[in-house]
Amino acid sequence: MKKIVLIVMCVFAMNWGYAQEVEVSIGTDSGDYSYDYSVPFEEYNMYSVSQQIYTAEEMGGNIGSITKVSFKLVYCVDASVRNVDIYMINTDKESFNSGSDWADVSEADLVYSGEVTYPGPFSGDYGMAWLDIELQTPFNYEGGNLLICCNDRTGANALEAGFAQYNTDESRAILAGSGTEFNVSELYFASGSVRYNNQIKFVVGPANEDP
């Protein structure tokens, strides 16, 4: 009887450990507190689109379902609201060779669509706030490189928020801004520039099971 109870307890403990969410924080201990008004959302233009690659090494083998993404804010003038779409894909792509070297993304990769509100105002206190975005469709991360694509569809320009960055050996962020809205399925038309990656956090839980 004791053996049966012990086995059940062990199985329960294994399942409990597996069910826990993990927070994956990337770039936040780099000591680099520079910030940019352009990635992930460029308020200077009415519309913008960005892509960023986070490597398998940075993700630390935390395979599972991503339910939340957070971008680190260094500076924010006001609690402005932006209308954005966010896409995620598993990718073999390692870097961007130029401002037109976009990865292929489709509407099937959409994980969030709606408003985000910047948690401002504040200034002069690095790392003071995070822009947390709960994904409407959790993303199944498979363990390789992860690409996140942010499409700002607000249609109004501002200059109110600066997002923390960190440096990488290769260019793993790309951005384009425009006065007209982008179609993420046709980014080969978009002429942009390479940027630094955002300091970022992902919440990863158990993998979604197929229905």
Side-chain angles (χ1 to χ4, degrees):
M1 183 65 179
K2 290 183 179 179
K3 289 183 179 180
I4 295 175
V5 171
L6 181 60
I7 292 172
V8 171
M9 289 178 65
C10 288
V11 171
F12 177 79
M14 291 171 63
N15 290 336
W16 176 258
Y18 177 75
Q20 297 305 292
E21 292 182 331
V22 176
E23 185 178 90
V24 179
S25 183
I26 300 175
T28 57
D29 59 353
S30 65
D32 184 356
Y33 292 103
S34 63
Y35 62 91
D36 192 353
Y37 290 104
S38 60
V39 181
F41 314 116
E42 186 183 45
E43 298 177 321
Y44 182 77
N45 281 285
M46 296 177 67
Y47 303 95
S48 70
V49 63
S50 67
Q51 291 185 353
Q52 299 185 74
I53 299 168
Y54 293 92
T55 66
E57 181 180 3
E58 289 175 324
M59 294 297 294
N62 292 290
I63 298 171
S65 179
I66 296 177
T67 57
K68 183 169 76 172
V69 59
S70 302
F71 298 98
K72 188 177 184 180
L73 279 159
V74 175
Y75 176 82
C76 190
V77 174
D78 198 3
S80 61
V81 178
R82 307 296 293 180
N83 185 16
V84 305
D85 290 344
I86 298 176
Y87 304 79
M88 288 185 182
I89 62 172
N90 296 288
T91 183
D92 294 329
K93 194 174 185 65
E94 297 179 349
S95 62
F96 299 106
N97 296 321
S98 69
S100 58
D101 186 24
W102 301 93
D104 291 332
V105 178
S106 72
E107 289 300 322
D109 305 314
L110 184 69
V111 294
Y112 180 86
S113 181
E115 294 182 344
V116 295
T117 302
Y118 294 170
F122 64 87
S123 64
D125 188 359
Y126 293 153
M128 184 174 178
W130 288 87
L131 175 59
D132 297 325
I133 303 172
E134 298 277 353
L135 303 186
Q136 295 153 342
T137 303
F139 174 72
N140 275 324
Y141 170 62
E142 298 174 353
N145 292 346
L146 169 67
L147 183 141
I148 180 168
C149 176
C150 296
N151 187 16
D152 188 330
R153 303 170 55 245
T154 306
N157 54 2
L159 196 59
E160 298 181 333
F163 289 89
Q165 306 170 311
Y166 72 101
N167 197 6
T168 59
D169 292 335
E170 298 179 299
S171 299
R172 292 197 275 110
I174 187 173
L175 173 127
S178 177
T180 57
E181 190 171 341
F182 290 95
N183 181 343
V184 297
S185 299
E186 299 179 350
L187 290 180
Y188 42 82
F189 290 120
S191 178
S193 59
V194 293
R195 302 281 180 161
Y196 293 117
N197 279 53
N198 287 130
Q199 297 187 24
I200 200 168
K201 291 191 296 189
F202 298 100
V203 173
V204 186
N208 291 331
E209 295 184 0
D210 294 330

